[in-house]
Amino acid sequence: MKKRELDSCPICHNLNIDDEESFLDDLKCAFRYYEKNDTIVLQGQLCDALYVLTIGKVRAETVSENGAIINVETVDAPRPLAPAFLFSDNNRFPVNIIALEDVEVIVIPKSEIVRLMMTNPDFMQNYLAHNANRTQFLTSRLQLLSIKTIKGKLAHYLLEMARNTDQPFIVDKNQSELAELFSVARPSLARSLSEMVQDGIIQIHRREFRILDINKMKNLIV
Amino acid sequence: MKKRELDSCPICHNLNIDDEESFLDDLKCAFRYYEKNDTIVLQGQLCDALYVLTIGKVRAETVSENGAIINVETVDAPRPLAPAFLFSDNNRFPVNIIALEDVEVIVIPKSEIVRLMMTNPDFMQNYLAHNANRTQFLTSRLQLLSIKTIKGKLAHYLLEMARNTDQPFIVDKNQSELAELFSVARPSLARSLSEMVQDGIIQIHRREFRILDINKMKNLIV
DNA sequence: ACGTACCTGTAACAATTGTTACAATCTAAT
DNA sequence: ATTAGATTGTAACAATTGTTACAGGTACGT
């Protein structure tokens, strides 16, 4: 593994220099290469090694029991794939992972990961931090989805983006992306937005938003 | 810390006996006791130590910006409280934690946790496994909530409970609890259930369910 | 057996969201 | 500048879900 790749990986960056040589020397790992549309991991497959996506882009999809694709997520290198599942009691991949372009994956056996953690505190904390951040992401996503109305979701989302100021701010998603994030239909989202504008709660110009009435906004979150 | 408490804690059980003495001897930790309705942790509070709930029961609640309580979860001892957030970049508690009865909490500084992990592989793997299981739980919860229709959620849930058999099975939640899990209103859930019965997809007698048409069931999950 | 509290079934109506379709506007490449 | 493609606004109507209310069923303690 080259140093460049090492540094760019979220669980391998900022490691103590002294450790880095021994870190690299003995690491047992396999390099795998895939082409577009290759299947890298099959849903349900045993997960006994860490898959680190170092080059390229993949799609992670959940397939329901009748074959319909429920959930899709695109993952860009560099990132570990499903690092939490390596240590879970039910250690099987929850998704299919498919190459969207030419891809390099480094496969590191679980035993090696454990060894690295035991010998390198920085690596261990990186790993923990990465999983922790993932948990936080999932928690906030769950909180968003458990708000029942579209306006409630918008209020929650926009208040976070605005950070308690009444200054205008730019939202980095278009309506379609927002609708997907909220798991609602795009025209419904547009309707809710225009109703909030009519009610004098917000102002919108393209992707620039401004909160006019913070209290009404907060009351939308039930 | 007594051995009994140690064993019952999900991140401390099954530790190597040899290590156990040294594990206990040097552990710097504080015991804290709370009465009913005491606040143990305030949302937003810095999280630089692991809080292990060893005795009692607590409520974890998310409070929205207008003061309304959005999300509630009850946690029984023994369990660590928000163990993932100890290592996250934004290491603040995401919830208020309030004692529901007399409670004992052991507070272990982050540095101690790191030391334990570095010296005790079993402890480290327990910790990782616990966080991983939590991630899995959140992932499946998220998957459930992102299904848009009540019947779809029911199908997903019931198919998992039935485990691909056509044998009757008991659901361990009543309709109100199911409705809360799905984040829908109870009468709406009842209506969906009775429509599924009318359509010959399932049979219900109290909490005993039976799947009559697996294919129709699977097609409900979009 | 009786009453109480809880759970379930159901109905009428309101509110919200989805669907589909199309026009208007913006963006970026030629 | 022009055009193709993406994004946004909007409308009519369908479908789903929420709300409220009440009746009947069940479990449980007295």
Side-chain angles (χ1 to χ4, degrees):
Chain A
M1 212 189 301
K2 292 161 206 152
K3 180 156 191 330
R4 181 187 52 77
E5 290 163 352
L6 200 69
D7 271 348
S8 63
C9 169
I11 62 172
C12 299
H13 66 178
N14 289 338
L15 296 180
N16 186 309
I17 300 285
D18 289 356
D19 292 319
E20 198 159 315
E21 283 198 13
S22 62
F23 181 91
L24 287 173
D25 282 348
D26 318 325
L27 184 63
K28 287 176 195 155
C29 64
F31 290 71
R32 294 194 191 156
Y33 299 90
Y34 300 89
E35 295 176 5
K36 184 171 179 177
N37 294 327
D38 282 355
T39 298
I40 302 170
V41 166
L42 217 58
Q43 186 171 345
Q45 182 179 323
L46 206 67
C47 173
D48 52 3
L50 183 66
Y51 288 60
V52 183
L53 176 67
T54 48
I55 300 174
K57 190 190 291 188
V58 302
R59 174 162 48 93
E61 58 182 27
T62 309
V63 178
S64 87
E65 320 217 25
N66 70 345
I69 291 169
I70 294 185
N71 233 343
V72 189
E73 194 183 353
T74 301
V75 176
D76 289 295
R79 235 193 66 183
L81 303 173
F85 289 83
L86 185 53
F87 290 96
S88 66
D89 292 335
N90 171 25
N91 57 335
R92 294 181 175 279
F93 280 99
V95 290
N96 290 329
I97 298 179
I98 292 153
L100 288 176
E101 50 188 48
D102 285 355
V103 155
E104 179 189 76
V105 173
I106 303 180
V107 181
I108 309 170
K110 181 173 175 176
S111 56
E112 282 292 282
I113 298 292
V114 171
R115 184 178 67 76
L116 287 177
M117 286 205 228
M118 295 304 293
T119 54
N120 190 315
D122 292 327
F123 178 78
M124 188 185 75
Q125 295 217 35
N126 280 348
Y127 200 93
L128 286 164
H130 187 266
N131 282 350
N133 289 338
R134 178 79 184 162
T135 300
Q136 263 189 347
F137 170 77
L138 290 175
T139 301
S140 73
R141 202 94 173 55
L142 208 50
Q143 205 172 316
L144 186 68
L145 275 189
S146 61
I147 298 174
K148 293 175 190 178
T149 65
I150 297 181
K151 288 181 190 173
K153 292 175 187 181
L154 275 169
H156 178 93
Y157 182 84
L158 293 176
L159 281 172
E160 214 158 67
M161 299 297 281
R163 290 189 196 155
N164 291 327
T165 69
D166 50 0
Q167 296 306 307
F169 57 96
I170 304 292
V171 169
D172 63 341
K173 292 186 195 301
N174 63 29
Q175 285 191 5
S176 300
E177 291 167 333
L178 269 184
E180 199 194 321
L181 176 67
F182 295 167
S183 198
V184 301
R186 199 274 310 168
S188 304
L189 184 82
R191 174 173 44 208
S192 292
L193 278 173
S194 75
E195 283 172 9
M196 286 167 77
V197 171
Q198 280 187 331
D199 294 349
I201 303 176
I202 54 175
Q203 259 181 359
I204 310 180
H205 179 67
R206 304 292 296 164
R207 291 191 181 185
E208 186 182 278
F209 286 67
R210 181 168 188 176
I211 297 175
L212 297 179
D213 190 331
I214 295 195
N215 286 330
K216 277 190 189 171
M217 197 80 167
K218 290 182 179 174
N219 287 328
L220 290 174
I221 310 176
V222 188
Chain B
M1 210 190 303
K2 293 161 203 151
K3 179 157 189 333
R4 180 189 53 74
E5 291 164 350
L6 201 67
D7 272 346
S8 63
C9 169
I11 61 171
C12 300
H13 66 178
N14 289 338
L15 295 181
N16 186 310
I17 299 286
D18 288 357
D19 293 318
E20 198 158 315
E21 283 197 12
S22 62
F23 181 90
L24 288 173
D25 281 350
D26 319 323
L27 185 63
K28 285 176 195 155
C29 64
F31 289 71
R32 293 195 192 156
Y33 299 91
Y34 300 89
E35 296 176 4
K36 184 171 178 175
N37 293 327
D38 282 355
T39 296
I40 302 170
V41 166
L42 218 57
Q43 186 171 344
Q45 181 179 323
L46 207 67
C47 172
D48 53 2
L50 183 68
Y51 289 62
V52 182
L53 176 67
T54 48
I55 301 174
K57 189 190 294 189
V58 302
R59 174 162 47 93
E61 59 182 27
T62 308
V63 178
S64 87
E65 319 217 25
N66 71 344
I69 290 169
I70 294 185
N71 232 344
V72 189
E73 194 183 353
T74 301
V75 176
D76 289 295
R79 235 193 66 181
L81 302 173
F85 290 84
L86 185 53
F87 290 95
S88 65
D89 293 335
N90 171 24
N91 57 335
R92 295 179 175 279
F93 279 99
V95 290
N96 289 329
I97 299 180
I98 292 153
L100 288 175
E101 51 190 46
D102 285 355
V103 155
E104 179 189 78
V105 173
I106 303 180
V107 181
I108 310 171
K110 180 173 176 177
S111 56
E112 283 291 282
I113 298 291
V114 172
R115 186 177 65 76
L116 288 177
M117 286 205 231
M118 296 304 293
T119 54
N120 192 314
D122 292 327
F123 178 78
M124 188 186 75
Q125 295 217 34
N126 281 347
Y127 200 93
L128 285 164
H130 187 267
N131 282 351
N133 289 338
R134 179 79 184 161
T135 300
Q136 264 190 347
F137 170 76
L138 290 175
T139 302
S140 74
R141 202 94 174 58
L142 208 49
Q143 205 171 315
L144 187 68
L145 276 190
S146 61
I147 298 174
K148 293 176 189 176
T149 65
I150 298 182
K151 289 180 188 173
K153 292 176 186 180
L154 275 169
H156 179 92
Y157 182 83
L158 293 175
L159 281 172
E160 213 158 68
M161 299 298 279
R163 289 186 197 158
N164 290 326
T165 69
D166 50 359
Q167 296 305 307
F169 58 95
I170 305 290
V171 170
D172 64 340
K173 294 185 192 302
N174 64 29
Q175 285 191 4
S176 300
E177 291 168 333
L178 270 184
E180 199 193 322
L181 177 66
F182 296 167
S183 202
V184 301
R186 201 271 312 164
S188 304
L189 184 82
R191 175 173 44 204
S192 291
L193 278 173
S194 76
E195 284 172 6
M196 287 167 76
V197 170
Q198 281 187 329
D199 294 346
I201 303 178
I202 55 175
Q203 260 182 0
I204 312 179
H205 179 65
R206 305 290 297 161
R207 291 190 180 186
E208 187 181 278
F209 286 67
R210 181 168 188 177
I211 296 175
L212 298 179
D213 190 332
I214 294 195
N215 286 331
K216 277 190 189 170
M217 197 80 167
K218 291 181 178 175
N219 286 328
L220 290 174
I221 310 175
V222 189

